[in-house]
Amino acid sequence: MISLIWAMDKNNLVGIDDKIPWHIKEDLLYYKAKTNGQIVLMGDQTYYSLKGYYKDKPLPYGKIYVATIDKNLVIDGCEMVYDIIDFLKNFDGDLWVVGGATIYKLSLPYANRLYISFVKGEYKGNRYFPQINFDDYMLIWENDTEKVRYTIFERKK
Ligand SMILES: NC(=O)c1ccc[n+]([C@@H]2O[C@H](COP(=O)([O-])OP(=O)(O)OC[C@H]3O[C@@H](n4cnc5c(N)ncnc54)[C@H](OP(=O)(O)O)[C@@H]3O)[C@@H](O)[C@H]2O)c1
């Protein structure tokens, strides 16, 4: 099962340069609860951005796949993915795709589940999630708070 998890504002905004445009603690806790100890896939930009937040602490995932098109790039403690499409087509097991914008776009066609945190309001930034055809998905869970509408969508068979 391939799950994408992300937070976006009303304009599908997910980032500003290498950062998240907002700081919403409850969403961070939600994200951590879902992805802690899991197998994750992220782009190299997101990897370096997370390393900036975590400094010398280990990232809280079970196994980290890092996608890059730079075949010379090797990151200690991570499995490198140089062909993301081939990787997604052949992946067997539970994988969480954790960004960023480029990797979400490439992974969306292979996603079984979408964990979307709809952040209320409008922020400034320059990285966007692509348009989603919600006709392809059904909402299987939601929880609305003052700041965020948490949802899980499952691809229709
Ligand atoms: N709101 C959220 O939930 C959320 C979550 C995560 C990240 N973000 C945000 O997303 C932004 C980062 O997104 P981004 O698009 O700049 O970077 P990214 O998705 O983290 O990484 C993009 C990298 O993927 C590699 N790539 C491209 N095509 C590929 C392919 N076919 N196979 C393998 N690798 C491939 C490229 O590597 P090369 O460098 O080698 O070209 C590219 O640099 C930041 O603002 C971050 O804060 C938001």
Short mmCIF file of all heavy atoms in Angstrom, two decimals, residues 6-7 14-20 22 43-46 67-70 81-84 98-104 106 127, ligand 1:
data_model
loop_
_atom_site.label_atom_id
_atom_site.label_comp_id
_atom_site.label_asym_id
_atom_site.label_seq_id
_atom_site.Cartn_x
_atom_site.Cartn_y
_atom_site.Cartn_z
N TRP A 6 0.48 14.62 3.55
CA TRP A 6 0.97 16.01 3.46
C TRP A 6 -0.07 16.97 4.03
O TRP A 6 -1.22 16.60 4.26
CB TRP A 6 1.28 16.37 2.01
CG TRP A 6 0.11 16.66 1.13
CD1 TRP A 6 -0.40 17.90 0.81
CD2 TRP A 6 -0.72 15.71 0.43
NE1 TRP A 6 -1.49 17.76 -0.04
CE2 TRP A 6 -1.70 16.43 -0.29
CE3 TRP A 6 -0.73 14.31 0.34
CZ2 TRP A 6 -2.67 15.81 -1.08
CZ3 TRP A 6 -1.71 13.70 -0.44
CH2 TRP A 6 -2.64 14.44 -1.14
N ALA A 7 0.41 18.21 4.23
CA ALA A 7 -0.47 19.30 4.65
C ALA A 7 -0.44 20.37 3.57
O ALA A 7 0.62 20.65 3.01
CB ALA A 7 0.03 19.88 5.97
N VAL A 14 2.25 23.74 -0.39
CA VAL A 14 2.88 22.84 0.60
C VAL A 14 4.21 23.36 1.14
O VAL A 14 4.70 22.86 2.14
CB VAL A 14 3.09 21.40 0.03
CG1 VAL A 14 1.77 20.74 -0.31
CG2 VAL A 14 4.04 21.40 -1.16
N GLY A 15 4.83 24.34 0.44
CA GLY A 15 6.15 24.76 0.91
C GLY A 15 6.53 26.15 0.47
O GLY A 15 5.94 26.72 -0.47
N ILE A 16 7.52 26.68 1.17
CA ILE A 16 8.16 27.94 0.76
C ILE A 16 9.66 27.67 0.78
O ILE A 16 10.23 27.39 1.83
CB ILE A 16 7.72 29.14 1.62
CG1 ILE A 16 8.49 30.39 1.18
CG2 ILE A 16 7.89 28.90 3.12
CD1 ILE A 16 7.81 31.68 1.62
N ASP A 17 10.26 27.66 -0.42
CA ASP A 17 11.65 27.22 -0.58
C ASP A 17 11.78 25.83 0.05
O ASP A 17 11.05 24.93 -0.33
CB ASP A 17 12.62 28.25 -0.01
CG ASP A 17 12.44 29.60 -0.73
OD1 ASP A 17 12.08 29.58 -1.92
OD2 ASP A 17 12.61 30.64 -0.09
N ASP A 18 12.68 25.68 1.05
CA ASP A 18 12.82 24.33 1.62
C ASP A 18 12.07 24.19 2.96
O ASP A 18 12.34 23.27 3.72
CB ASP A 18 14.31 23.99 1.79
CG ASP A 18 15.01 24.95 2.73
OD1 ASP A 18 14.44 26.03 3.03
OD2 ASP A 18 16.13 24.64 3.18
N LYS A 19 11.12 25.09 3.20
CA LYS A 19 10.43 25.07 4.51
C LYS A 19 8.92 24.87 4.36
O LYS A 19 8.37 25.04 3.27
CB LYS A 19 10.66 26.41 5.23
CG LYS A 19 12.13 26.72 5.52
CD LYS A 19 12.57 26.01 6.80
CE LYS A 19 13.96 26.37 7.25
NZ LYS A 19 15.04 26.19 6.30
N ILE A 20 8.29 24.52 5.47
CA ILE A 20 6.82 24.44 5.53
C ILE A 20 6.33 25.87 5.86
O ILE A 20 6.90 26.52 6.75
CB ILE A 20 6.39 23.47 6.67
CG1 ILE A 20 7.02 22.09 6.49
CG2 ILE A 20 4.88 23.40 6.78
CD1 ILE A 20 6.39 21.15 5.54
N TRP A 22 3.85 27.06 7.47
CA TRP A 22 3.13 27.29 8.74
C TRP A 22 3.79 26.47 9.84
O TRP A 22 4.60 25.57 9.56
CB TRP A 22 1.66 26.86 8.61
CG TRP A 22 1.54 25.56 7.90
CD1 TRP A 22 1.74 24.31 8.42
CD2 TRP A 22 1.27 25.37 6.51
NE1 TRP A 22 1.61 23.35 7.44
CE2 TRP A 22 1.32 23.98 6.27
CE3 TRP A 22 0.99 26.24 5.44
CZ2 TRP A 22 1.09 23.45 5.00
CZ3 TRP A 22 0.77 25.70 4.19
CH2 TRP A 22 0.82 24.32 3.98
N GLY A 43 12.02 13.15 -1.32
CA GLY A 43 12.99 13.72 -2.25
C GLY A 43 14.22 14.20 -1.51
O GLY A 43 14.18 14.41 -0.29
N ASP A 44 15.29 14.39 -2.25
CA ASP A 44 16.52 14.83 -1.56
C ASP A 44 16.35 16.20 -0.93
O ASP A 44 16.88 16.47 0.15
CB ASP A 44 17.75 14.76 -2.49
CG ASP A 44 17.61 15.57 -3.76
OD1 ASP A 44 16.54 16.14 -3.99
OD2 ASP A 44 18.60 15.65 -4.51
N GLN A 45 15.56 17.09 -1.55
CA GLN A 45 15.36 18.43 -0.98
C GLN A 45 14.68 18.32 0.39
O GLN A 45 15.06 19.01 1.35
CB GLN A 45 14.50 19.30 -1.90
CG GLN A 45 15.02 19.41 -3.32
CD GLN A 45 16.41 20.02 -3.37
OE1 GLN A 45 16.77 20.85 -2.55
NE2 GLN A 45 17.21 19.58 -4.32
N THR A 46 13.68 17.47 0.46
CA THR A 46 12.95 17.30 1.74
C THR A 46 13.86 16.66 2.78
O THR A 46 13.84 17.03 3.95
CB THR A 46 11.66 16.48 1.51
OG1 THR A 46 10.79 17.29 0.71
CG2 THR A 46 10.97 16.10 2.80
N ALA A 67 14.85 9.89 -2.93
CA ALA A 67 14.83 9.96 -4.39
C ALA A 67 15.69 11.12 -4.87
O ALA A 67 15.63 12.22 -4.33
CB ALA A 67 13.40 10.14 -4.89
N THR A 68 16.48 10.83 -5.88
CA THR A 68 17.31 11.86 -6.52
C THR A 68 17.61 11.41 -7.94
O THR A 68 17.57 10.21 -8.23
CB THR A 68 18.63 12.06 -5.74
OG1 THR A 68 19.43 13.01 -6.44
CG2 THR A 68 19.42 10.77 -5.61
N ILE A 69 17.88 12.39 -8.80
CA ILE A 69 18.31 11.95 -10.14
C ILE A 69 19.84 11.98 -10.25
O ILE A 69 20.40 11.62 -11.27
CB ILE A 69 17.64 12.76 -11.28
CG1 ILE A 69 17.70 14.26 -11.01
CG2 ILE A 69 16.21 12.32 -11.48
CD1 ILE A 69 17.09 15.09 -12.12
N ASP A 70 20.48 12.40 -9.16
CA ASP A 70 21.95 12.46 -9.13
C ASP A 70 22.51 11.09 -8.72
O ASP A 70 22.55 10.74 -7.54
CB ASP A 70 22.37 13.54 -8.13
CG ASP A 70 23.88 13.63 -7.99
OD1 ASP A 70 24.59 12.83 -8.65
OD2 ASP A 70 24.34 14.48 -7.22
N VAL A 81 17.05 6.13 -4.28
CA VAL A 81 16.14 5.75 -5.36
C VAL A 81 16.42 6.67 -6.54
O VAL A 81 16.16 7.87 -6.47
CB VAL A 81 14.66 5.89 -4.90
CG1 VAL A 81 13.71 5.68 -6.06
CG2 VAL A 81 14.35 4.92 -3.77
N TYR A 82 16.99 6.09 -7.59
CA TYR A 82 17.36 6.91 -8.74
C TYR A 82 16.28 6.87 -9.82
O TYR A 82 16.27 7.69 -10.71
CB TYR A 82 18.70 6.44 -9.31
CG TYR A 82 19.82 6.50 -8.28
CD1 TYR A 82 20.38 5.34 -7.77
CD2 TYR A 82 20.29 7.72 -7.82
CE1 TYR A 82 21.40 5.40 -6.82
CE2 TYR A 82 21.30 7.79 -6.88
CZ TYR A 82 21.84 6.62 -6.38
OH TYR A 82 22.84 6.68 -5.43
N ASP A 83 15.40 5.89 -9.73
CA ASP A 83 14.29 5.80 -10.69
C ASP A 83 13.00 5.60 -9.89
O ASP A 83 12.62 4.47 -9.57
CB ASP A 83 14.53 4.64 -11.67
CG ASP A 83 13.44 4.56 -12.73
OD1 ASP A 83 12.36 5.15 -12.54
OD2 ASP A 83 13.67 3.88 -13.74
N ILE A 84 12.36 6.70 -9.58
CA ILE A 84 11.22 6.65 -8.66
C ILE A 84 10.02 5.89 -9.25
O ILE A 84 9.31 5.19 -8.51
CB ILE A 84 10.84 8.08 -8.21
CG1 ILE A 84 9.86 8.05 -7.04
CG2 ILE A 84 10.33 8.92 -9.32
CD1 ILE A 84 9.55 9.40 -6.44
N VAL A 98 6.48 11.09 1.80
CA VAL A 98 6.42 12.24 2.70
C VAL A 98 6.94 13.54 2.06
O VAL A 98 7.30 14.48 2.75
CB VAL A 98 7.15 11.95 4.05
CG1 VAL A 98 6.47 10.82 4.79
CG2 VAL A 98 8.63 11.62 3.83
N GLY A 99 6.98 13.58 0.73
CA GLY A 99 7.30 14.83 0.06
C GLY A 99 8.67 14.87 -0.56
O GLY A 99 9.41 13.89 -0.54
N GLY A 100 8.99 16.04 -1.15
CA GLY A 100 8.14 17.21 -1.22
C GLY A 100 7.33 17.28 -2.49
O GLY A 100 6.88 16.26 -3.01
N ALA A 101 7.15 18.51 -2.97
CA ALA A 101 6.22 18.78 -4.07
C ALA A 101 6.51 17.90 -5.29
O ALA A 101 5.58 17.30 -5.87
CB ALA A 101 6.31 20.26 -4.43
N THR A 102 7.76 17.80 -5.68
CA THR A 102 8.13 17.03 -6.88
C THR A 102 7.81 15.56 -6.69
O THR A 102 7.26 14.89 -7.58
CB THR A 102 9.65 17.18 -7.16
OG1 THR A 102 9.95 18.57 -7.16
CG2 THR A 102 10.04 16.55 -8.46
N ILE A 103 8.14 15.05 -5.51
CA ILE A 103 7.95 13.63 -5.24
C ILE A 103 6.46 13.30 -5.09
O ILE A 103 6.01 12.24 -5.53
CB ILE A 103 8.78 13.23 -3.98
CG1 ILE A 103 10.27 13.48 -4.24
CG2 ILE A 103 8.51 11.80 -3.56
CD1 ILE A 103 10.83 12.91 -5.54
N TYR A 104 5.68 14.21 -4.53
CA TYR A 104 4.22 13.99 -4.47
C TYR A 104 3.64 13.89 -5.88
O TYR A 104 2.82 13.02 -6.16
CB TYR A 104 3.53 15.15 -3.73
CG TYR A 104 3.76 15.21 -2.25
CD1 TYR A 104 4.04 16.42 -1.61
CD2 TYR A 104 3.66 14.08 -1.45
CE1 TYR A 104 4.24 16.50 -0.24
CE2 TYR A 104 3.86 14.15 -0.07
CZ TYR A 104 4.15 15.36 0.52
OH TYR A 104 4.34 15.44 1.87
N LEU A 106 5.10 13.01 -8.68
CA LEU A 106 5.50 11.77 -9.35
C LEU A 106 4.80 10.55 -8.75
O LEU A 106 4.54 9.57 -9.44
CB LEU A 106 7.03 11.60 -9.26
CG LEU A 106 7.86 12.61 -10.05
CD1 LEU A 106 9.32 12.57 -9.61
CD2 LEU A 106 7.75 12.33 -11.55
N ARG A 127 5.85 26.15 -3.42
CA ARG A 127 5.81 24.72 -3.76
C ARG A 127 4.36 24.26 -3.58
O ARG A 127 3.77 24.49 -2.52
CB ARG A 127 6.70 23.90 -2.83
CG ARG A 127 8.17 24.28 -2.86
CD ARG A 127 8.85 23.76 -4.11
NE ARG A 127 10.29 23.90 -4.02
CZ ARG A 127 10.95 25.04 -4.20
NH1 ARG A 127 10.31 26.16 -4.48
NH2 ARG A 127 12.27 25.07 -4.11
N1 LIG B 1 3.39 20.47 3.43
C1 LIG B 1 3.90 19.27 3.51
O1 LIG B 1 3.25 18.33 4.01
C2 LIG B 1 5.29 19.02 3.01
C3 LIG B 1 5.93 17.79 3.21
C4 LIG B 1 7.23 17.61 2.71
C5 LIG B 1 7.86 18.64 2.05
N2 LIG B 1 7.20 19.83 1.88
C6 LIG B 1 7.84 20.95 1.18
O2 LIG B 1 8.14 20.59 -0.16
C7 LIG B 1 9.22 21.41 -0.61
C8 LIG B 1 10.28 20.52 -1.24
O3 LIG B 1 9.77 20.00 -2.46
P1 LIG B 1 10.69 19.98 -3.76
O4 LIG B 1 9.80 19.65 -4.90
O5 LIG B 1 11.49 21.24 -3.83
O6 LIG B 1 11.74 18.82 -3.45
P2 LIG B 1 11.56 17.23 -3.17
O7 LIG B 1 10.26 16.74 -3.74
O8 LIG B 1 11.86 16.96 -1.75
O9 LIG B 1 12.78 16.63 -3.98
C9 LIG B 1 12.86 16.82 -5.36
C10 LIG B 1 14.00 15.98 -5.89
O10 LIG B 1 13.52 14.77 -6.42
C11 LIG B 1 14.44 14.33 -7.39
N3 LIG B 1 13.76 13.75 -8.55
C12 LIG B 1 13.07 14.39 -9.52
N4 LIG B 1 12.62 13.51 -10.43
C13 LIG B 1 13.06 12.29 -10.03
C14 LIG B 1 12.94 10.98 -10.54
N5 LIG B 1 12.25 10.75 -11.68
N6 LIG B 1 13.51 9.95 -9.88
C15 LIG B 1 14.20 10.18 -8.73
N7 LIG B 1 14.35 11.41 -8.19
C16 LIG B 1 13.79 12.43 -8.83
C17 LIG B 1 15.26 15.53 -7.83
O11 LIG B 1 16.59 15.22 -7.47
P3 LIG B 1 17.87 16.05 -7.95
O12 LIG B 1 18.15 17.02 -6.83
O13 LIG B 1 18.92 15.02 -8.08
O14 LIG B 1 17.50 16.75 -9.22
C18 LIG B 1 14.70 16.67 -7.03
O15 LIG B 1 15.66 17.54 -6.49
C19 LIG B 1 9.72 22.18 0.61
O16 LIG B 1 9.18 23.49 0.62
C20 LIG B 1 9.17 21.38 1.78
O17 LIG B 1 9.01 22.16 2.95
C21 LIG B 1 5.94 20.03 2.34
#
